Amino acid sequence: MRQRTIKDKVRIEGIGIHTGERTRITLHPADENTGVRFLRKGVYIPASPDHVVGTFLSTDLGCGSVTVKTVEHLLATLHLLRITNTVIEVEGGCEIPIMDGSAYAFYSELKGLVVDQTEETEPFSVTGKVRVSSGKASIEAEPCSCFEITYEGVFKGCLGEQRFTFRGNAEDVILARTFCFDEDIEFIRSKGLGRGGSLDNTLVIGRNGVYNREGLRYENEPARHKVLDLIGDLYLLGAPFRGRVVSRGGGHTLNYMFVKKIHRASKLGLESLRG
Ligand code: ZN
């Protein structure tokens, strides 16, 4: 498949869900073989597993003292549109804006601007069965020429068991919003996070239902959002992903463990990594 970039720069502004700061991001066209890179305070931060500096409630990248927070929904959009090369300039705050909690704003801004470049890119293919786990949560993958991700989980509050399978159609996941549980808000705030969170950008779930007046966009919106997050985290591999993945209760930390494992295996040329 051809490498891709965007034909014009795009500017998007909004607040960060964790910092509450107003941030402006500008996505620029970029040359072939330069990849996806964030640019903040004059420092380029490649979207790669080697630059992950945090996975607690968001995926954060950094280089030295310069960090960019909550990159996952934007990376998911780039992955879904197969944009291989772009520079994302981050100004004002350090956090990618949360918008409405989903990837919709990024997707709709970028969709019409995608252009093929001359050089090819190889997809990142899973070459053997891979598994990572932490407590009851696990992520398993097997080789497939498809891009298929299933999320299964038992959620708190009114949600119960949820399941969703993505089979390559971006529209199935771009509208799914960030969510949290009412009983966790105090803890999240005590960690200095969630400062920009509100019902305008977060689905808040309680024991008896959803706080947001418009309700859920899909009955399994949280499971779809978990898939969106994983699509974003997988793009740290630097190429469109090929394989069949099942996440059972995973989050950013486990996603990162998974990405690190297959990234390392690909570098070592290992056929299979089980366990
Ligand atoms: Zn998310």
Side-chain angles (χ1 to χ4, degrees):
M1 59 180 76
R2 296 281 193 86
Q3 295 188 22
R4 288 176 164 180
T5 187
I6 45 175
K7 58 185 175 203
D8 263 318
K9 66 177 179 186
V10 181
R11 210 161 255 182
I12 300 168
E13 213 176 309
I15 62 157
I17 188 168
H18 290 304
T19 59
E21 291 169 347
R22 192 152 195 92
T23 302
R24 185 170 77 193
I25 60 169
T26 311
L27 287 95
H28 298 270
D31 291 339
E32 286 153 324
N33 302 313
T34 55
V36 172
R37 291 178 299 161
F38 292 85
L39 171 61
R40 183 169 174 247
K41 294 182 171 173
V43 177
Y44 284 96
I45 309 171
S48 95
D50 299 333
H51 290 88
V52 173
V53 296
T55 55
F56 178 64
L57 301 180
S58 61
T59 299
D60 309 331
L61 303 177
C63 221
S65 61
V66 181
T67 56
V68 175
K69 224 176 148 46
T70 318
V71 298
E72 58 270 21
H73 306 155
L74 181 57
L75 284 186
T77 307
L78 298 175
H79 196 173
L80 291 163
L81 293 169
R82 289 206 293 103
I83 296 170
T84 3
N85 304 302
T86 181
V87 170
I88 305 146
E89 206 180 338
V90 180
E91 296 168 293
C94 68
E95 188 173 13
I96 303 302
I98 191 66
M99 313 313 287
D100 74 342
S102 78
Y104 180 74
F106 303 135
Y107 189 83
S108 56
E109 288 284 341
L110 292 167
K111 197 173 180 243
L113 296 174
V114 181
V115 281
D116 277 347
Q117 293 172 291
T118 317
E119 296 216 19
E120 298 279 318
T121 184
E122 278 290 306
F124 189 103
S125 299
V126 181
T127 51
K129 287 202 172 186
V130 190
R131 184 174 195 274
V132 292
S133 63
S134 168
K136 284 184 188 163
S138 67
I139 299 176
E140 286 176 348
E142 60 180 21
C144 175
S145 58
C146 62
F147 179 22
E148 187 182 299
I149 300 178
T150 298
Y151 189 91
E152 300 176 351
V154 180
F155 292 87
K156 292 193 289 190
C158 63
L159 294 175
E161 203 171 327
Q162 292 219 332
R163 189 175 201 276
F164 175 71
T165 299
F166 165 83
R167 292 193 172 85
N169 183 13
E171 263 101 62
D172 289 340
V173 289
I174 46 156
L175 281 164
R177 288 165 295 174
T178 304
F179 62 94
C180 76
F181 299 96
D182 56 0
E183 62 186 55
D184 297 336
I185 292 174
E186 208 179 297
F187 174 73
I188 294 168
R189 291 263 160 91
S190 77
K191 297 281 173 196
L193 298 170
R195 289 183 195 159
S198 73
L199 291 173
D200 293 331
N201 56 35
T202 308
L203 205 45
V204 180
I205 295 151
R207 205 175 288 268
N208 301 315
V210 166
Y211 287 76
N212 310 60
R213 205 181 303 163
E214 74 278 19
L216 294 166
R217 289 178 179 172
Y218 311 89
E219 173 203 349
N220 57 358
E221 186 174 357
R224 288 176 192 246
H225 188 82
K226 286 289 201 173
V227 169
L228 180 79
D229 282 342
L230 183 47
I231 292 171
D233 290 337
L234 284 173
Y235 210 38
L236 294 168
L237 294 165
F241 184 85
R242 289 292 169 268
R244 180 176 287 125
V245 182
V246 179
S247 172
R248 294 185 180 88
H252 292 299
T253 303
L254 198 61
N255 293 353
Y256 174 50
M257 278 171 64
F258 175 73
V259 162
K260 257 199 314 194
K261 189 166 184 172
I262 54 176
H263 188 244
R264 199 180 58 219
S266 81
K267 279 209 275 198
L268 297 171
L270 297 180
E271 274 305 297
S272 171
L273 268 183
R274 200 187 273 272

